[in-house]
Amino acid sequence: HYPLRRQRQMCIRDRFTRALNTRTYFEYESVSQAMSGVCKFYEEKLQLMNQGRNVKHDIKDLFAYLDGLGDLGALVYEEKKQAYVPCDRQWIKQRVEKHLIDTGQYLN
């Protein structure tokens, strides 16, 4: 189990490969920061795959990347419940899309 500090509002869990014994956790202060982090994972992957060249991409490409991850989920702290609530890949994709729209970065 991964110990979560209470001051963190969200934790993203992913598995960048299909290997079942690997997982990476990232903690964020807010859902917005976490969604920025998710987008950053994708942009870094694009940079690596394309040797630093700029590549056009859209929300479908980002979602395909997220769908291709071995495991993706989030734990969001809910003050009312005084507990972390699990959220799935679809929830993350919805929040990423909302974050991109809200910040004027929507990739269409």
Side-chain angles (χ1 to χ4, degrees):
H1 294 291
Y2 182 74
L4 296 173
R5 285 181 244 119
R6 191 167 169 172
Q7 69 269 21
R8 301 292 184 190
Q9 295 302 309
M10 183 165 186
C11 177
I12 295 283
R13 175 199 74 241
D14 63 34
R15 191 168 60 230
F16 291 108
T17 68
R18 296 275 178 200
L20 296 177
N21 62 344
T22 63
R23 284 197 174 81
T24 306
Y25 295 86
F26 300 92
E27 291 183 346
Y28 297 94
E29 297 293 331
S30 68
V31 172
S32 179
Q33 285 179 1
M35 297 308 108
S36 288
V38 169
C39 292
K40 185 177 176 185
F41 302 152
Y42 174 62
E43 290 165 1
E44 289 173 356
K45 175 77 171 182
L46 278 180
Q47 291 289 316
L48 287 173
M49 290 173 45
N50 295 288
Q51 300 171 340
R53 292 178 303 220
N54 280 340
V55 177
K56 285 193 135 196
H57 57 280
D58 62 22
I59 194 79
K60 291 176 193 167
D61 299 321
L62 174 57
F63 285 175
Y65 167 74
L66 295 177
D67 287 338
L69 292 174
D71 184 22
L72 180 64
L75 295 172
V76 180
Y77 188 76
E78 286 194 15
E79 189 70 37
K80 188 175 182 179
K81 293 182 179 182
Q82 296 285 301
Y84 286 90
V85 176
C87 301
D88 64 7
R89 182 185 315 263
Q90 190 61 36
W91 182 91
I92 292 172
K93 288 168 58 177
Q94 290 169 348
R95 293 305 181 282
V96 163
E97 185 172 26
K98 181 182 181 328
H99 172 76
L100 292 171
I101 291 168
D102 291 349
T103 59
Q105 302 174 56
Y106 191 75
L107 310 168
N108 56 14

